[in-house]
Amino acid sequence: MMKQELMTIMEHSTVAKDTYMLVIQGESVAPPIDPGQFVHVLVSRDFFLRRPLSIADVNFANGTLTLLYKELGKGTQALSLKQVGETLDVLGPGGQGFPVESLNIEKALLVGGGIGVPPLYYLAKQLTDKGVAVESVLGFQTKEDVFYEEHFRALGEVRVMTNDGSRGDKGFVTDGLPEGEEAFDMYFSCGPAVMLKAVSDQLASYPGYISIEERMGCGIGACFACVVPADSGKGYKKICRDGPVFRPEEVIL
Amino acid sequence: MNTLAVKLPGLDLKNPVMPASGCFGFGREYSEFYQLSELGAIMIKAATVEQRYGNPTPRVAETASGMLNAIGLQNPGVDQIVGEELPFLNQYDVPIVANVAGSTVEDYAQVTEKLTASNRVSALELNISCPNVKEGGVQFGTDPDLAYNVTQITKQHTHLPVYVKLSPNVTDITAMARAVEAAGADGLSMINTLTGMKMDLHKREPLIANQTGGLSGPAIKPVAIRMIHEVYRSVKIPIIGMGGIESTEDILEFMLAGASAVAVGSANFKNPYICPQLIKELPATLHEHGWSSVHEVIGGAHRENNQSSVSRA
C-alpha cells in the first residue's frame, strides 16, 4: 500500500563519486516492504515530477529506509544538497519487488550494474536471512564509482568488475558471471536495459528476475509513461505497477 | 445556493473539480488513495475502437514548470473499458465523462455508440486534440470543418451530452469553438497539451521517443486562461477548464476567465491527493476572496460589474 509522507532525513553522505546514501525516517516504513520496490521522491516544489529511487535497505525498528542514488541531473543534484533534519516528500513503497518469500532455492546469483546495485543489497540481506547462499557480481565504470562492496562481501562472495579494470576485474558484469553446473539456482539482476538484456541472454538456461529502470510519471500505474513491451509482442507492462521486477521472459528488452 | 455544486449538461457536479483524461487512468490506482466519490466527476482515459499499445519509451520528460508526454493513447479498447473499467467506476457515486478518440470519423461513431449503450457514463469528451498520434486526434482539432464534421457525427450517435476537447495548437481557438458549437457540441473542455520538444544532450536527439510530446503543467496555465477567456466571449456553451491547475487560486482564475468547472491533470502525478485537497480547500479560498459560491466566480472577468451573479452554469 503506497502512502505519501514527509519523511525526515537522518543521514546523508557520499559513498562513491557522485553517489550518495540517504537514510530517511517515517511512519510509512512498515512491513511488508520487498526488495526491488521503490519510493517516488519529490525533491522540492521546484520540480514537477517525482524521482523513483529503489530501496537499498530497510530498518523497521528505526522506521528508516536507505536509498542510494547517483547525481545524474538537476533533480538528483538538488537532492544531494538536502541536509540531515530536512524533510522529503516521499510516495511509496511502490511496485512489485523480488518475491523472496516464495522462493525455494539454495544458491542465488546477484548481478548489479552501477546504480542498479542498490536494490540488490536489501535483496541479499533478505536472501541470507532465509538461509540462501548469495554470490554477487557488481559492475561499475571505474574504481571511483564502486560502492557497498564491503556490505555485499559481508553477505557472501563478491566479484567486482570495472570497465577500465581500475578495481576488481576488467570488463562488464557479463564477463564475470560464474560458470559451471550448479553454480547457482536462480539469478537476480538490476541495471541498465542493455546490461539486463545481455545478462538474461547469457543466463537464459537459469530462472531469474530482473528489475528495470525507466523515467516515470505518476509512479502508481495510472499514466502509462513507464512501460516495457510485453513478451507477447503485443502491449506493454507497466514498470511502476507490474514491475519494476519481472521474469525476463515476461518482457522484451 | 450550494457553495461548490455546478450543474452542466449531463453533469450534476457536487463540486467543480475533476481529474483530467489521461492523467487518472480509469481511477483504480487513485481509488487506493481516497474515495473517488469525493470528486466532482472523473474524466477517464481515452477509448479507441481497438486496443492501442501507445508509443515507444521514453514517453515523459520533465520541463520548466511542467512536463512533456507522448503516451500515444494507450488503452485497452472500448469493449474492455465498457466491460471492466466502467463497472468498477460505477461503484462510486461520481459522474463519469468518457473520452472518445479515433483515427477516422467512423471510429469516433463506433466508440461513441458503445460508450452510450453501456449506460454507465454521464457525458462524452470528444478527443480531437491528442498531439501524440499520427492519425486522427489533432488533425480533427486544428481544422474547423473537420471538427464540425466529427462533432456532428458523434452527436448523431449518442443522446449523451458531448464536450469537445480543444487543442491549443491553433492560430484561432475561437474559430474551433464556434465550429463545434454550431455542430451541436454541448460543452467544451480546454485546453489539451501544447506540442513541444526536449533534446537529450548526451544522445544528441529528442529525448522523447516520439520526438514531440504534449506540454502540460503550470507552464501552460496562462495560455489556457487566455484561450478560455477568448472562447467564453465567442460561444454560449459551458467550458470545463484545464491546463496546469495546482491550487484553489488557479481554479478561481480559470473560473473568472469563463470555466464552469475545472480538471486537474499532471499535478496528480506530483500529489496523488491533489483533487480532494483542492475540493476541501476551495470554500475557504472562495470566502477569502469575497465570494460565497463558485457561481459568482464563473465568467466574472467578463462582467462590467463584478457583483453580478449571472453565469451560464
Side-chain angles (χ1 to χ4, degrees):
Chain A
M1 184 68 198
M2 291 182 95
K3 283 181 186 157
Q4 185 187 16
E5 187 182 1
L6 282 179
M7 295 179 73
T8 306
I9 297 174
M10 308 302 286
E11 281 182 67
H12 202 176
S13 59
T14 306
V15 293
K17 184 179 172 234
D18 296 334
T19 310
Y20 301 85
M21 181 190 73
L22 181 64
V23 179
I24 50 177
Q25 185 184 52
E27 289 173 3
S28 50
V29 183
I33 298 177
D34 294 326
Q37 288 194 289
F38 65 93
V39 288
H40 214 21
V41 174
L42 186 63
V43 175
S44 78
R45 299 293 299 174
D46 296 336
F47 294 94
F48 192 68
L49 290 176
R50 291 172 178 270
R51 268 69 178 165
L53 299 177
S54 57
I55 295 168
D57 202 4
V58 181
N59 185 326
F60 291 120
N62 296 338
T64 59
L65 297 179
T66 300
L67 311 176
L68 295 163
Y69 68 93
K70 188 159 189 172
E71 188 185 317
L72 291 170
K74 285 179 188 165
T76 41
Q77 186 185 32
L79 182 59
S80 75
L81 301 175
K82 288 264 187 176
Q83 304 290 314
V84 169
E86 287 188 67
T87 56
L88 202 55
D89 182 337
V90 176
L91 182 63
Q96 306 295 323
F98 297 102
V100 177
E101 292 265 323
S102 63
L103 297 177
N104 187 18
I105 55 171
E106 290 177 3
K107 291 186 225 167
L109 173 67
L110 311 190
V111 186
I115 207 60
V117 167
L120 299 182
Y121 180 62
Y122 183 38
L123 175 66
K125 284 180 72 176
Q126 296 254 300
L127 287 172
T128 50
D129 280 354
K130 212 177 133 83
V132 178
V134 168
E135 180 178 357
S136 307
V137 180
L138 310 176
F140 300 93
Q141 286 188 336
T142 73
K143 64 179 181 186
E144 285 86 23
D145 299 304
V146 179
F147 60 89
Y148 265 45
E149 181 184 348
E150 294 311 313
H151 288 69
F152 278 89
R153 214 173 281 289
L155 300 170
E157 279 186 49
V158 177
R159 185 167 185 190
V160 169
M161 306 294 296
T162 50
N163 296 3
D164 60 1
S166 56
R167 181 161 191 102
D169 296 311
K170 183 177 160 86
F172 297 116
V173 288
T174 41
D175 301 318
L177 299 179
E179 290 175 15
E181 291 289 307
E182 295 172 18
F184 58 93
D185 304 318
M186 187 178 272
Y187 73 92
F188 303 86
S189 189
C190 184
V194 284
M195 187 203 94
L196 293 177
K197 179 159 175 44
V199 168
S200 56
D201 284 351
Q202 197 167 323
L203 301 178
S205 59
Y206 293 90
Y209 287 92
I210 55 173
S211 182
I212 302 175
E213 51 189 9
E214 180 58 270
R215 287 166 184 274
M216 290 185 185
C218 67
I220 66 171
C223 78
F224 297 80
C226 62
V227 294
V228 59
D231 60 325
S232 57
K234 287 185 167 184
Y236 289 94
K237 300 266 187 189
K238 295 174 184 175
I239 292 173
C240 68
R241 185 84 178 186
D242 305 325
V245 173
F246 295 96
R247 303 297 294 252
E249 57 271 22
E250 286 181 280
V251 296
I252 299 171
L253 291 169
Chain B
M1 188 182 287
N2 188 303
T3 308
L4 298 185
V6 176
K7 208 168 160 55
L8 296 175
L11 299 171
D12 240 332
L13 308 177
K14 49 190 168 290
N15 65 68
V17 180
M18 61 193 87
S21 179
C23 300
F24 207 72
F26 299 96
R28 286 183 193 269
E29 295 79 16
Y30 287 92
S31 75
E32 294 170 10
F33 290 90
Y34 58 87
Q35 273 294 327
L36 298 184
S37 46
E38 292 176 40
L39 298 166
I42 298 175
M43 301 180 116
I44 57 174
K45 189 160 173 56
T48 52
V49 176
E50 305 287 345
Q51 179 171 12
R52 288 218 189 165
Y53 303 122
N55 293 324
T57 60
R59 293 176 167 187
V60 293
E62 190 180 55
T63 63
S65 296
M67 64 179 284
L68 289 167
N69 89 81
I71 308 297
L73 295 181
Q74 181 175 352
N75 79 95
V78 67
D79 290 334
Q80 195 181 324
I81 292 169
V82 167
E84 291 179 24
E85 304 300 341
L86 293 178
F88 167 80
L89 284 165
N90 279 163
Q91 67 182 295
Y92 300 100
D93 175 27
V94 58
I96 303 301
V97 181
N99 187 291
V100 181
S103 305
T104 64
V105 173
E106 291 73 28
D107 287 352
Y108 282 91
Q110 200 177 335
V111 173
T112 294
E113 279 188 357
K114 288 185 170 177
L115 289 168
T116 306
S118 76
N119 284 322
R120 293 182 186 273
V121 301
S122 301
L124 300 177
E125 183 182 44
L126 202 55
N127 188 347
I128 58 167
S129 43
C130 177
N132 299 325
V133 290
K134 286 192 180 68
E135 291 184 332
V138 78
Q139 84 195 33
F140 291 108
T142 50
D143 178 328
D145 293 335
L146 291 178
Y148 178 95
N149 194 28
V150 71
T151 305
Q152 190 180 47
I153 286 169
T154 301
K155 283 291 289 179
Q156 286 164 0
H157 287 82
T158 185
H159 64 273
L160 294 170
V162 173
Y163 292 77
V164 180
K165 188 163 187 174
L166 298 183
S167 170
N169 301 305
V170 294
T171 310
D172 182 5
I173 190 118
T174 63
M176 299 300 303
R178 285 194 304 269
V180 301
E181 181 182 48
D186 300 275
L188 301 170
S189 65
M190 57 187 287
I191 57 174
N192 206 318
T193 55
L194 284 150
T195 311
M197 187 181 275
K198 176 174 175 149
M199 289 294 167
D200 181 331
L201 284 181
H202 298 290
K203 294 186 178 169
R204 304 182 180 187
E205 61 185 27
L207 191 151
I208 301 259
N210 185 55
Q211 304 219 325
T212 60
L215 180 65
S216 63
I220 72 166
K221 195 183 78 172
V223 179
I225 292 171
R226 183 268 293 176
M227 288 188 158
I228 290 166
H229 189 263
E230 282 182 1
V231 165
Y232 183 88
R233 290 171 175 270
S234 308
V235 298
K236 295 201 162 52
I237 50 179
I239 299 165
I240 300 172
M242 63 204 67
I245 291 174
E246 283 197 308
S247 69
T248 49
E249 286 80 7
D250 292 343
I251 295 174
L252 297 183
E253 279 195 61
F254 274 73
M255 291 191 146
L256 278 175
S260 297
V262 296
V264 178
S266 36
N268 285 289
F269 305 161
K270 194 173 180 177
N271 174 6
Y273 298 99
I274 188 155
C275 287
Q277 281 174 4
L278 294 178
I279 293 162
K280 193 174 167 213
E281 293 166 11
L282 189 53
T285 313
L286 276 168
H287 295 146
E288 206 176 295
H289 292 273
W291 286 298
S292 56
S293 86
V294 289
H295 285 265
E296 298 165 9
V297 192
I298 299 164
H302 301 272
R303 289 176 215 129
E304 287 181 17
N305 178 350
N306 267 351
Q307 302 307 307
S308 160
S309 62
V310 179
S311 84
R312 63 181 71 175

